[in-house]
Each structure stands twice: as structure tokens, then as C-alpha cells.
Amino acid sequence: QVQLQESGPGLVKPSETLSLTCTVSGGSISSYYWSWIRQPPGKGLEWIGYIYYSGSTNYNPSLKSRVTISVDTSKNQFSLKLSSVTAADTAVYYCARHFPLDYLDVWGKGTTVTVSS
Amino acid sequence: QSVLTQPPSASGTPGQRVTISCSGSSSNIGSNYVYWYQQLPGTAPKLLIYRNNQRPSGVPDRFSGSKSGTSASLAISGLRSEDEADYYCAAWDDSLSGPWVFGGGTKLTVL
């Protein structure tokens, strides 16, 4: 059964770049979209963007100028970079499998990222 | 401000039936499927309903979904204490807001 695990620094300084990686185990990264979603403390879910295993991407328009999602099929991993972070980017970040034009089904447990000096 | 609009809270007593609404537009709910997610405290969201009214295996039939026009609803019958959670609707969106949007979430309290 497919499992996802987020990894990366838990603390990022303002104006720097947040970098996270999601490792897919128990299945192949091929044939699916792979999404990043975040949840600020006490708030709702915000979809950040997804990448297809082939490398094509689509981002939330509100974050598009700062987001880059990439994939490494050889490692069964995909990654998130969010530049010029501020305190408003403090959140739990989730990675998830996204069926093309359908649902998010498998989610990682999430990783907390705090933006602070 | 979320693209999909949900009431911030809902409540019910054990055994009761409660519904949670999700309002959208022609570019999302009006032309695409609706999905519902349940998020228990401190955990990742879990798919509850897909393609408007389909339940993944393992989801009790107490949970049901429906859609009409640009609105959708999640109904929970025979409410249990373990249903206390946050519920989110979601949909693909064909406008510049998309392509994937969530509702703001509804916190369900079991009294």
C-alpha cells in the first residue's frame, strides 16, 4: 500500500526558501499527479500545486510566483520549493497522491514548518 | 476567502442526522465532481466521499454526499462522538482560481 512521507527543515527564516521532499513508498510515482497542500495553524486547507510524474505542473494562482514543484522518478520523490517566505507561510505541509481529474486519496502525515528569525 | 463556501460550524447530538453544505459556482461544483474530506484532530485529511456521492471502501454508509447545481451537501446520519472533526469539500475548478479548490472547512461538534 502506498505511503507518503514529508521531510525537510522545520524552521525557515523570513525571506528564505522553504524546501520539502515527499518520498513515495509501496508503489510507483508514475501515472499519478502528486500534490502539496498546506494548513496554517487553526485554519483550513490550501492546495499549493501538483506535478505529474512526467514533470508537468499546475499551481495555485495565489502562490504561483513563489512555488516550484519538481519530481525525481528515480528516487520516487517529489519536492516543493516556496521562495521569499513570511510568517504567513507557517503551516503544516502535506503531500498527497492526486488521481488525474479526480480525488486526493493517500496523504502524508504532514510536517510543520515555522517561518521565524 | 475560499472559493467554495462552507458554514464554519455545525453540531448535533448522538444519533441525529446533520448536513454540511458547500456552495460554489459554475466553474467548479457546477461542472465538476465534489469531494469531501474528514480531518480528525491532529491528523491528515481522509477521503470521505468522491465523485459527489461515492464512498471509498471502509467509509460507513452513515456518510452520504449529494450535489445539485452549484451546491453540494454532506449528510451524516446516526451521529457518533467519533464523527467530531473538521469536514472539507473540494472540487476541480475550470476558472483562474483552479485547478483544485477546497472549501473553508466546517467544524462538526457532537454535543
Side-chain angles (χ1 to χ4, degrees):
Chain A
Q1 136 178 358
V2 174
Q3 293 185 310
L4 281 65
Q5 178 67 59
E6 305 89 351
S7 60
L11 181 64
V12 181
K13 289 182 168 56
S15 80
E16 295 189 345
T17 296
L18 177 160
S19 296
L20 296 174
T21 294
C22 182
T23 300
V24 180
S25 60
S28 173
I29 204 166
S30 299
S31 303
Y32 298 101
Y33 293 163
W34 300 92
S35 276
W36 286 98
I37 302 102
R38 69 180 183 178
Q39 185 171 34
K43 295 189 177 181
L45 302 170
E46 180 179 33
W47 175 78
I48 299 170
Y50 65 63
I51 189 164
Y52 195 42
Y53 77 100
S54 62
S56 62
T57 55
N58 211 327
Y59 302 133
N60 184 325
S62 68
L63 298 170
K64 188 174 182 177
S65 63
R66 299 194 291 132
V67 173
T68 302
I69 298 177
S70 59
V71 64
D72 186 337
T73 54
S74 67
K75 295 183 178 178
N76 244 26
Q77 293 177 334
F78 62 106
S79 299
L80 168 70
K81 290 188 185 300
L82 181 66
S83 63
S84 306
V85 297
T86 69
D89 296 309
T90 294
V92 175
Y93 285 76
Y94 296 99
C95 59
R97 185 173 73 174
H98 209 154
F99 274 72
L101 296 179
D102 216 340
Y103 48 80
L104 291 152
D105 64 340
V106 182
W107 295 63
K109 293 184 177 180
T111 187
T112 299
V113 178
T114 301
V115 178
S116 174
S117 56
Chain B
Q1 196 81 346
S2 300
V3 174
L4 304 180
T5 302
Q6 298 180 236
S9 63
S11 64
T13 55
Q16 204 172 24
R17 182 178 187 270
V18 297
T19 60
I20 297 172
S21 62
C22 176
S23 177
S25 68
S26 59
S27 66
N28 41 64
I29 294 178
S31 53
N32 295 296
Y33 289 126
V34 178
Y35 306 86
W36 290 93
Y37 293 86
Q38 177 193 58
Q39 187 177 32
L40 297 170
T43 69
K46 166 192 164 185
L47 181 64
L48 201 61
I49 297 288
Y50 67 99
R51 296 178 201 162
N52 301 336
N53 55 19
Q54 302 299 301
R55 283 186 307 276
S57 62
V59 173
D61 60 6
R62 300 186 297 106
F63 294 90
S64 62
S66 64
K67 180 183 120 170
S68 178
T70 59
S71 294
S73 292
L74 172 71
I76 309 171
S77 60
L79 198 62
R80 297 184 176 185
S81 58
E82 57 260 39
D83 298 331
E84 186 159 294
D86 294 322
Y87 292 85
Y88 294 90
C89 60
W92 290 90
D93 191 305
D94 302 327
S95 75
L96 295 178
S97 300
W100 177 264
V101 291
F102 284 107
T106 298
K107 181 173 180 57
L108 175 64
T109 301
V110 181
L111 302 169

